[in-house]
Amino acid sequence: MLCRAALSPLVRSPGWCFVLPPHAIAAISRLYLPCRNQRLRNESIRCWSNIPFITVPLSRAHGKSFAHRSELKHAKRIVVKLGSAVVTRGDECGLALGRLASIVEQVSMLQNQGREMMIVTSGAVAFGKQRLRHEILLSQSVRQALHSGQSQLKDMAIPVLEARACAAAGQSGLMALYEAMFTQYSICAAQILVTNLDFHDEQKRRNLNGTLHELLRMNIVPIINTNDAVVPPPEPNSDLQGVISVKDNDSLAARLAVEMKTDLLIVLSDVEGLFDNPPGSDDAKLIDIFYPGDQQSVTFGTKSRVGMGGMEAKVKAALWALQGGTSVVIANGTHPKISGHVITDIVEGKKVGTFFSEVKPAGPTVEQQAEMARAGGRTLAALQPEQRAEIIYRLADLLTDQREEILLANKKDLEEAENKGRLALPLLKRLSLSTSKLNSLAIGLRQIAASSQDSVGRVIRRTRIAKDLDLEQVTVPIGVLLVIFESRPDCLPQVSALAIASGNGLLLKGGKEAAHSNQILHRLTQEALSIHGVRDAVQLVNTREEVEDLCRLDKLIDLIIPRGSSQLVRNIQKAAKGIPVMGHSEGICHVYVDTDASVEKVTRIIRDSKCEYPAACNALETLLIHRDLLRTPLFDQIIDMLRVEQVKIHAGPKFASYLTFSPSEVKSLRTEYGDLECCIEVVDSVQEAVEHIHKYGSSHTDVIITENEKTAEFFLQHVDSACVFWNASTRFSDGYRFGLGAEVGISTSRIHARGPVGIEGLLTTKWLLRGDNHVVSDFSEHGSMKYLHESLPLPQRNAN
């Protein structure tokens, strides 16, 4: 809440509201902060709004700004500058209360994490304008007009209001509003008003600095504004050497940020950040990271609808603060979909707005990589099919020729993973490469090359619309694919080959645990691409971008394909902003053992489905057994085999009810164990097995073991999963085993591609219409042409 002591005439100094003497600080501490002491700064966990917040390591030596966004989470002292367009309503008369409340909520969250927050705010003029307009309407005999009719009221002219008077009338109301909002989170706020002259007087500067430090020490949020009631108009070119003049709240925020040695300055405006051209223009692109010296590449537009400064002023202030050791982010504080978390997103290191950095990365940004992949993919799609196949054959040869170098890099990854102890045994197995794995990879790539001869540009439909007007539907690449994969470096050449065969540009984001393996495999991929000049078509993302940031690139990426844990897939599906995601969130695969099952087949299929590779998404997780098989030799053989293989068994509810002493009852029938564990449940019929799969399955892969063809066909036709098998292991659900050469993933969705996705799943179509001076008006009721809509034979596919 606003400290009343701060409003009393203590020790005043021209140009700001107050300077707190020691006795006043003590009084505030006793009266208004009885429970807030320095211990709160040292708590490891604070609770606020029913959400626990863990305090992060915040201490760092000031003097150098953060080099990367990911480091912003370590910022301890933060200034948030609220531009006039953020604080005020669209009519410029009054405050945007909902938006302001959200900002206060975010600042309170960060304050309760142990950070030191300061706000530089606009809004006094707008709030004052609203109040003065109201007073004018109630004066000058308006009350009489209200009694006599509304027509006189409508005709009344409201004079132009002078900004200083509006500021004087609005400042107290603005601060009272902040006080009420911060009180909801048990946080005290204090007001400070300054002018440019206050920074030229050394004593006043020291007083201001001391006041702010004392407020921060007591866990109070200072709210700072220019004293617009008395401030003189800004003078052009009045900056002193090494000192920025306070012409507006942008320069004020930058000046305070440097004076107070803050870690981060967040400048909120009504644009997403800094663009290379004026926002709204056709070629404007948001600049993710801005470096000193890049001003020449930027064209500044007009300033915002309200406020003193435009984007040029913000950039100048940001660069000045950056030079003083403070990191800066300029972002949009008015967008309804992001303003509710824009401040916390920035502090968490998410890709929001424009980040100012003094450190240029060694390589291209991920946006530049995506553009390179787009251009390279289009060139790749324009090659002849045999040229694309030649690239894949070359990559297959490199995998065997450079075997020793690949295995050496993989050994480094394995040693680092084992030393850090971060990966479980199944994940270490995924990470490991071997000579046999590389040989299998090479064989799979050659299969892809052989099957790619007739993929891109294949005609799948021909129609004669009318005489000399023929229509074709042909296959084309999807565009730019983003494939995110964990642990498995063998995924990189597989996915690259499929992207090359289908003419798609490709962005690859691998896990840190496979960094050495991925780097050499990507280098070999680019070496293969270079034989036809399309090296840039496949890009490996090595920057610090988080997966969530990559999922925001909806203008650069056409399809996201996650390869990894179900948690990874769910996170990507949640984070994707307007980009389709192809994949499966879980692999809850079932095997149903029917009464007519063959004794010889049951244990072999179950063992292979569960034990051959339990971490795979196509491994058995739930075993359904017909009730009539309980207490039979076949059932005993199944249990004995699982015990020998050290599979932990969980009992489904019905199975547990049949047993006097049973294994632990399963917590959920929708569990993907990913290890040597499985659930056993009992069903009364094949119909009940199908119903169970539809209720608890994930539409991945489901199997029936039976010798009854009628029962098997019922199962095959009624189970609604991507892969449905009869008397075969669930582990056959794989692109290589299906003869696709490899897969980019397994899709359980019902749109576009389903099951193991190979080349066909990475293609879409376009329509080609060839005419001869045809116009639609010729086909009207009285026109000279008639529609034929005749199906034409398809051209012969390449026999190879």
Side-chain angles (χ1 to χ4, degrees):
M1 61 182 173
L2 176 65
C3 299
R4 291 179 176 82
L7 299 179
S8 62
L10 299 173
V11 178
R12 296 185 179 273
S13 189
W16 60 47
C17 196
F18 64 91
V19 178
L20 288 175
H23 69 274
I25 293 172
I28 293 171
S29 181
R30 288 194 302 270
L31 291 175
Y32 297 102
L33 300 172
C35 298
R36 306 187 70 84
N37 53 47
Q38 196 62 25
R39 286 202 312 267
L40 296 179
R41 286 281 178 207
N42 300 323
E43 291 179 355
S44 61
I45 297 180
R46 298 283 309 273
C47 285
W48 168 83
S49 187
N50 298 323
I51 303 174
F53 295 101
I54 299 175
T55 303
V56 296
L58 300 176
S59 60
R60 76 181 188 101
H62 187 81
K64 192 171 183 179
S65 61
F66 293 119
H68 305 283
R69 281 184 186 268
S70 58
E71 298 172 344
L72 295 181
K73 60 180 176 288
H74 299 299
K76 178 176 176 62
R77 185 171 291 173
I78 302 171
V79 172
V80 178
K81 183 266 176 180
L82 307 178
S84 299
V86 175
V87 178
T88 61
R89 299 197 311 246
D91 60 4
E92 302 176 22
C93 185
L95 302 180
L97 296 179
R99 194 183 301 145
L100 198 60
S102 176
I103 289 168
V104 169
E105 181 180 26
Q106 295 173 78
V107 170
S108 299
M109 176 192 297
L110 296 172
Q111 183 82 2
N112 280 312
Q113 287 179 348
R115 305 178 198 269
E116 297 174 340
M117 304 299 296
M118 293 181 279
I119 294 177
V120 175
T121 185
S122 303
V125 173
F127 200 10
K129 184 186 291 186
Q130 182 184 35
R131 295 183 65 182
L132 292 180
R133 282 167 63 98
H134 181 70
E135 290 301 321
I136 291 171
L137 288 174
L138 291 178
S139 62
Q140 299 175 353
S141 302
V142 173
R143 291 179 178 84
Q144 181 180 354
L146 290 173
H147 288 290
S148 60
Q150 293 295 321
S151 59
Q152 296 183 29
L153 183 62
K154 292 179 181 178
D155 295 335
M156 290 190 61
I158 298 177
V160 177
L161 299 175
E162 203 273 329
R164 292 193 185 92
C166 291
Q171 185 64 42
S172 60
L174 175 66
M175 194 59 208
L177 185 61
Y178 275 117
E179 172 190 2
M181 289 181 174
F182 274 110
T183 300
Q184 302 301 312
Y185 306 103
S186 302
I187 290 178
C188 181
Q191 173 184 235
I192 298 179
L193 296 177
V194 296
T195 68
N196 189 33
L197 298 177
D198 296 322
F199 290 97
H200 291 266
D201 186 293
E202 188 62 30
Q203 183 60 47
K204 291 180 179 180
R205 284 179 59 194
R206 284 199 298 268
N207 290 345
L208 174 60
N209 191 288
T211 299
L212 289 171
H213 274 95
E214 195 63 20
L215 292 173
L216 295 176
R217 186 184 68 82
M218 293 191 298
N219 205 30
I220 296 173
V221 175
I223 299 177
I224 306 123
N225 195 3
T226 50
N227 193 351
D228 292 326
V230 300
V231 68
E235 299 178 12
N237 303 320
S238 61
D239 289 354
L240 303 177
Q241 184 175 3
V243 178
I244 189 170
S245 295
V246 179
K247 305 183 182 72
D248 48 52
N249 274 347
D250 295 316
S251 52
L252 169 60
R255 182 65 189 267
L256 282 170
V258 175
E259 288 275 342
M260 293 297 295
K261 295 182 171 59
T262 58
D263 301 313
L264 174 61
L265 167 61
I266 299 174
V267 180
L268 297 183
S269 183
D270 56 354
V271 292
E272 278 68 24
L274 186 60
F275 289 78
D276 58 356
N277 282 297
S281 62
D282 291 338
D283 298 328
K285 292 182 181 179
L286 180 66
I287 298 173
D288 173 44
I289 306 177
F290 189 78
Y291 307 98
D294 284 355
Q295 296 94 314
Q296 295 80 5
S297 63
V298 177
T299 303
F300 295 103
T302 58
K303 71 181 188 71
S304 64
R305 56 178 172 83
V306 288
M308 295 288 294
M311 184 55 72
E312 191 168 6
K314 289 176 176 56
V315 172
K316 182 177 180 181
L319 291 174
W320 192 87
L322 187 68
Q323 187 178 13
T326 297
S327 296
V328 184
V329 175
I330 297 178
N332 190 340
T334 65
H335 196 293
K337 290 186 177 180
I338 63 172
S339 58
H341 46 81
V342 60
I343 299 173
T344 51
D345 277 356
I346 289 171
V347 175
E348 289 172 12
K350 295 180 181 178
K351 188 172 286 191
V352 178
T354 300
F355 172 62
F356 286 70
S357 175
E358 293 186 301
V359 180
K360 280 199 173 186
T365 65
V366 69
E367 289 84 1
Q368 291 170 332
Q369 284 187 292
E371 290 173 351
M372 292 161 66
R374 172 84 67 190
R378 286 172 175 162
T379 305
L380 184 66
L383 295 177
Q384 295 299 313
E386 54 270 18
Q387 292 176 306
R388 289 192 295 271
E390 187 181 351
I391 294 171
I392 301 171
Y393 281 126
R394 176 60 179 154
L395 178 56
D397 292 339
L398 288 171
L399 290 179
T400 53
D401 294 345
Q402 304 293 326
R403 181 188 306 111
E404 292 183 5
E405 191 176 352
I406 296 170
L407 295 179
L408 183 62
N410 185 245
K411 184 180 178 182
K412 291 181 182 178
D413 289 326
L414 288 169
E415 289 174 350
E416 290 180 7
E418 289 172 353
N419 292 336
K420 294 177 181 177
R422 294 186 302 182
L423 296 182
L425 187 60
L427 294 179
L428 278 173
K429 186 177 179 182
R430 285 188 177 189
L431 177 60
S432 174
L433 292 176
S434 63
T435 300
S436 60
K437 267 192 179 182
L438 292 176
N439 290 336
S440 297
L441 271 175
I443 293 170
L445 263 58
R446 293 187 179 99
Q447 288 180 351
I448 294 172
S451 62
S452 69
Q453 298 289 331
D454 195 21
S455 54
V456 180
R458 176 167 55 88
V459 179
I460 60 175
R461 178 183 301 178
R462 293 181 68 219
T463 304
R464 177 151 293 160
I465 303 297
K467 187 177 183 298
D468 296 327
L469 185 63
D470 292 345
L471 178 69
E472 287 184 346
Q473 187 181 18
V474 301
T475 57
V476 294
I478 288 175
V480 175
L481 314 175
L482 168 62
V483 177
I484 302 168
F485 56 100
E486 295 176 322
S487 299
R488 296 179 54 176
D490 54 330
C491 178
L492 193 152
Q494 289 177 335
V495 172
S496 297
L498 289 168
I500 294 166
S502 56
N504 285 287
L506 179 62
L507 279 178
L508 293 158
K509 174 67 172 175
K512 295 178 182 177
E513 66 279 358
H516 299 292
S517 305
N518 288 337
Q519 285 172 5
I520 184 171
L521 290 171
H522 177 249
R523 178 172 62 80
L524 297 177
T525 302
Q526 290 199 313
E527 182 178 335
L529 287 162
S530 298
I531 65 176
H532 288 296
V534 285
R535 178 186 179 89
D536 291 341
V538 177
Q539 299 285 326
L540 180 64
V541 179
N542 287 318
T543 57
R544 296 192 177 202
E545 267 74 16
E546 298 295 331
V547 168
E548 187 171 340
D549 293 327
L550 295 173
C551 292
R552 297 172 186 264
L553 303 177
D554 56 308
K555 293 181 174 62
L556 299 171
I557 295 169
D558 300 297
L559 179 67
I560 301 175
I561 305 173
R563 294 282 303 269
S565 66
S566 57
Q567 187 61 50
L568 170 72
V569 179
R570 282 194 295 268
N571 290 343
I572 291 172
Q573 289 172 334
K574 183 179 179 180
K577 307 297 183 183
I579 308 175
V581 178
M582 184 166 65
H584 63 280
S585 58
E586 291 175 315
I588 305 175
C589 303
H590 296 76
V591 171
Y592 166 57
V593 183
D594 186 54
T595 51
D596 296 321
S598 166
V599 176
E600 292 76 19
K601 296 175 184 176
V602 169
T603 53
R604 275 174 51 83
I605 293 173
I606 294 174
R607 180 189 289 110
D608 191 78
S609 297
K610 178 71 257 184
C611 309
E612 196 267 343
Y613 193 177
C617 63
N618 57 12
L620 162 67
E621 303 294 4
T622 298
L623 178 61
L624 300 176
I625 297 179
H626 196 284
R627 182 186 56 177
D628 293 345
L629 294 177
L630 292 178
R631 300 183 179 90
T632 65
L634 175 58
F635 177 77
D636 293 339
Q637 287 182 31
I638 295 172
I639 298 300
D640 290 342
M641 181 273 295
L642 292 175
R643 286 173 177 166
V644 168
E645 297 291 341
Q646 298 183 328
V647 177
K648 182 178 180 180
I649 298 173
H650 303 274
K654 288 186 67 176
F655 180 45
S657 68
Y658 284 105
L659 303 175
T660 305
F661 299 99
S662 68
S664 61
E665 187 168 340
V666 69
K667 295 180 180 178
S668 171
L669 290 168
R670 293 189 178 93
T671 301
E672 182 181 12
Y673 299 100
D675 205 344
L676 287 174
E677 296 182 61
C678 76
C679 169
I680 296 179
E681 182 57 307
V682 174
V683 293
D684 291 336
S685 65
V686 65
Q687 177 66 45
E688 189 175 330
V690 171
E691 291 172 357
H692 179 103
I693 290 169
H694 289 166
K695 185 174 182 179
Y696 300 108
S698 60
S699 300
H700 192 295
T701 301
D702 298 291
V703 170
I704 182 172
I705 307 176
T706 184
E707 296 303 302
N708 188 316
E709 184 176 353
K710 184 178 178 181
T711 304
E713 287 300 327
F714 179 90
F715 187 90
L716 293 173
Q717 297 303 320
H718 286 81
V719 171
D720 186 18
S721 296
C723 299
V724 188
F725 301 162
W726 173 20
N727 287 347
S729 168
T730 60
R731 297 278 290 121
F732 279 104
S733 181
D734 176 83
Y736 175 75
R737 297 178 184 118
F738 276 16
L740 305 178
E743 64 186 39
V744 293
I746 295 180
S747 173
T748 56
S749 68
R750 288 167 172 79
I751 298 175
H752 183 63
R754 202 170 183 210
V757 179
I759 298 174
E760 296 292 330
L762 301 181
L763 296 171
T764 184
T765 64
K766 70 177 179 182
W767 297 90
L768 305 177
L769 184 63
R770 296 178 176 88
D772 184 16
N773 197 30
H774 288 81
V775 293
V776 170
S777 58
D778 287 342
F779 294 85
S780 63
E781 184 178 355
H782 303 291
S784 59
M785 304 272 309
K786 298 295 181 184
Y787 289 111
L788 299 176
H789 293 149
E790 296 176 356
S791 294
L792 299 176
L794 297 178
Q796 292 295 316
R797 297 186 62 174
N798 192 329
N800 295 327

